[in-house]
Amino acid sequence: MLRAKHIGKNYSSSLSPVLSPEHKPTLLESQAIGTVATAQANFMRVIVQDVANSVKSDDDDDSSKTGVELLCVVRAVLKKIRRKVLVGDKVLVGSIDWVDRRGMIENVFHRRSEILDPPVANVDHLLVLFSLDQPKLEPFTLTRFLVEAESTRIPLTLALNKTELISEEELESWKIRLRSWNYEPLFCSVGTKDGLDAIAFILRDQTSVIVGPSGVGKSSLINILRSNHGGGEVEDENWFEPMLGNKWFDDQRVGEVSSRSGRGKHTTRNVSLLPVSEGGYLADTPGFNQPSLLKVTKQSLAHCFPEIRNMIEGEKCGFRDCLHIGEPGCVVKGDWERYPYYLQLLDEIRIREEFQLRTFGTKREDDVRYKVGDMGVKHAEPRLVPKKHRRESRKKTKQTMISELDEFEDEDSDFDIENDPIVQAIENEKKQQ
């Protein structure tokens, strides 16, 4: 699910240097700065935030181009150096056709945060949404989502939907249980609209991502949070405001829970950045039931459990690389509820890391390489994937054909034609005639 990393040092190359967030490039008439609102297949929909001064002066209204939606493709060199463009990215768009509203993303501004699964950039807050019933809340699945969310180091809120489907006793039991996990969840109901004001207050004026399994009510919650758009006080600089009549920003599709499996159906199929009534934006993401944990290591896993963080806050373990599995001097005891979940996830991550080490090793080459040309001038070019873009040599092709022919001849020599039943049947028919 939430594979994430916070960006520290700027990555740059002469092919396409990363732009800092404060950088204000001089724009041509065919260029603009915007935010990626959604991505589908090979196309990005970008909402324009800023254009060249000459374009502004040519229009009667200075903001006539602000909020325009552009259908864009990504510049080929960005793909070659494996610089991904994500929903939420601030981008530089060039080669714009203002009539047909098309363009090409030429570069990406530096991100303050990044989530790789689901792919969203510049996220301020995470809302982990689960349902108490239909589909039923499973503690281990909830733990996997929370571990992924904690690994991003982005502030998170846990919300539990469909409170109307369980009794007061069950609700109180979950409150006590989750507090022992060191979480203060918000209980809400999209059906009765109970508890939604608290969620809207937390998410206001931020770019937030809602994550959780299919069928828990993510799209329904977003539709309600956006339903009063335009009625309240919204930020002045809401770049999405002119686009609210566009079908791309209509209500999100809502599906029902499967009666056979008891799980949600995959209704949302791509990531979309949507404006909300209280200001800020929400990213609706496809639901899934098994977060990957690919960016969680065996050393970082413990920091994704608030229970362990509290235990080692005042007293440190005897070893710096302690995995809290009974090592001498370890201060983490196994008398808390989620300790078996911790051990299960630790085993899973260990197996994965050992497989990756055997398969890929530890070497990681840069995506850009430099060649020295005439007069000692260095030229940057993308580093292609080994053997992916190379044609097989004639010698190897010929050797392969010869080895295949030899194998065929060996098989043919082992074939006993006299005792073959089909051949015998044909000979018998000839004799009868």
Side-chain angles (χ1 to χ4, degrees), residues 295-354:
K295 291 296 180 180
V296 182
T297 66
K298 61 184 180 183
Q299 295 295 338
S300 66
L301 177 63
H303 297 281
C304 300
F305 284 83
E307 302 97 317
I308 297 181
R309 291 203 302 264
N310 289 344
M311 292 179 193
I312 63 177
E313 185 176 358
E315 187 178 358
K316 302 297 181 182
C317 292
F319 298 96
R320 183 182 298 178
D321 58 350
C322 182
L323 296 179
H324 316 298
I325 53 177
E327 296 94 332
C330 179
V331 299
V332 177
K333 308 303 179 184
D335 56 352
W336 44 289
E337 181 189 355
R338 293 202 297 167
Y339 187 62
Y341 299 157
Y342 168 77
L343 296 178
Q344 186 175 342
L345 294 175
L346 183 62
D347 286 340
E348 178 185 326
I349 293 170
R350 267 177 165 176
I351 293 171
R352 187 198 70 217
E353 290 183 349
E354 289 173 2

Side-chain angles (χ1 to χ4, degrees), residues 121-336:
N122 301 320
V123 179
D124 301 315
H125 200 92
L126 293 174
L127 178 66
V128 181
L129 184 67
F130 269 70
S131 63
L132 291 162
D133 199 10
Q134 296 183 10
K136 198 169 184 64
L137 178 56
E138 298 176 359
F140 182 65
T141 303
L142 175 58
T143 296
R144 289 188 71 101
F145 274 86
L146 290 174
V147 166
E148 279 276 16
E150 293 278 3
S151 69
T152 67
R153 300 184 181 179
I154 296 173
L156 70 92
T157 299
L158 173 61
L160 300 179
N161 188 23
K162 304 184 183 181
T163 55
E164 76 279 6
L165 300 180
I166 64 171
S167 64
E168 288 293 332
E169 292 77 12
E170 289 179 285
L171 189 63
E172 190 63 29
S173 174
W174 273 111
K175 283 183 182 178
I176 297 172
R177 188 174 186 178
L178 292 173
R179 281 171 183 165
S180 71
W181 296 8
N182 290 289
Y183 288 103
E184 288 291 339
L186 299 177
F187 291 89
C188 64
S189 172
V190 174
T192 63
K193 298 187 179 180
D194 184 37
L196 300 187
D197 290 339
I199 294 178
F201 180 79
I202 291 174
L203 301 183
R204 73 191 188 284
D205 300 332
Q206 298 184 91
T207 299
S208 306
V209 177
I210 299 181
V211 294
S214 300
V216 298
K218 297 188 296 296
S219 296
S220 299
L221 175 61
I222 287 178
N223 289 340
I224 292 177
L225 293 176
R226 299 180 59 232
S227 60
N228 297 324
H229 202 297
E233 295 181 359
V234 186
E235 291 178 309
D236 293 336
E237 290 189 318
N238 190 338
W239 309 110
F240 291 73
E241 186 73 37
M243 298 307 303
L244 294 179
N246 190 290
K247 65 181 180 67
W248 198 260
F249 298 98
D250 286 345
D251 285 351
Q252 299 299 91
R253 291 178 59 230
V254 177
E256 297 180 353
V257 175
S258 172
S259 58
R260 184 178 64 178
S261 65
R263 294 186 174 184
K265 301 176 183 178
H266 296 290
T267 305
T268 304
R269 300 182 184 276
N270 58 286
V271 181
S272 301
L273 198 63
L274 306 164
V276 292
S277 58
E278 299 296 328
Y281 308 101
L282 275 178
D284 191 14
T285 63
F288 39 88
N289 298 310
Q290 285 294 330
S292 61
L293 304 179
L294 288 177
K295 291 296 180 180
V296 182
T297 66
K298 61 184 180 183
Q299 295 295 338
S300 66
L301 177 63
H303 297 281
C304 300
F305 284 83
E307 302 97 317
I308 297 181
R309 291 203 302 264
N310 289 344
M311 292 179 193
I312 63 177
E313 185 176 358
E315 187 178 358
K316 302 297 181 182
C317 292
F319 298 96
R320 183 182 298 178
D321 58 350
C322 182
L323 296 179
H324 316 298
I325 53 177
E327 296 94 332
C330 179
V331 299
V332 177
K333 308 303 179 184
D335 56 352
W336 44 289

Side-chain angles (χ1 to χ4, degrees), residues 4-178:
K5 58 182 178 182
H6 285 260
I7 314 301
K9 186 178 179 180
N10 273 358
Y11 167 81
S12 62
S13 72
S14 58
L15 283 174
S16 190
V18 172
L19 304 175
S20 67
E22 298 80 16
H23 181 57
K24 294 183 178 179
T26 304
L27 301 176
L28 304 176
E29 292 185 4
S30 60
Q31 289 182 317
I33 295 174
T35 299
V36 179
T38 191
Q40 196 167 20
N42 295 322
F43 296 95
M44 306 275 176
R45 292 184 182 266
V46 178
I47 306 303
V48 174
Q49 297 178 6
D50 193 19
V51 295
N53 292 327
S54 57
V55 175
K56 292 180 181 179
S57 60
D58 291 342
D59 297 318
D60 296 334
D61 183 5
D62 285 353
S63 61
S64 62
K65 292 291 190 297
T66 300
V68 169
E69 175 191 347
L70 299 174
L71 182 63
C72 301
V73 294
V74 180
R75 186 184 175 193
V77 71
L78 296 181
K79 295 180 181 179
K80 288 182 178 179
I81 63 176
R82 292 188 280 278
R83 186 180 300 166
K84 292 184 178 180
V85 181
L86 307 179
V87 171
D89 265 328
K90 183 179 178 182
V91 295
L92 175 65
V93 183
S95 305
I96 298 176
D97 184 342
W98 292 107
V99 177
D100 292 335
R101 295 189 175 182
R102 291 179 176 268
M104 179 175 63
I105 296 176
E106 295 182 342
N107 211 341
V108 183
F109 283 79
H110 183 71
R111 299 165 183 149
R112 61 179 181 270
S113 64
E114 174 185 343
I115 296 175
L116 299 180
D117 191 6
V120 188
N122 301 320
V123 179
D124 301 315
H125 200 92
L126 293 174
L127 178 66
V128 181
L129 184 67
F130 269 70
S131 63
L132 291 162
D133 199 10
Q134 296 183 10
K136 198 169 184 64
L137 178 56
E138 298 176 359
F140 182 65
T141 303
L142 175 58
T143 296
R144 289 188 71 101
F145 274 86
L146 290 174
V147 166
E148 279 276 16
E150 293 278 3
S151 69
T152 67
R153 300 184 181 179
I154 296 173
L156 70 92
T157 299
L158 173 61
L160 300 179
N161 188 23
K162 304 184 183 181
T163 55
E164 76 279 6
L165 300 180
I166 64 171
S167 64
E168 288 293 332
E169 292 77 12
E170 289 179 285
L171 189 63
E172 190 63 29
S173 174
W174 273 111
K175 283 183 182 178
I176 297 172
R177 188 174 186 178
L178 292 173

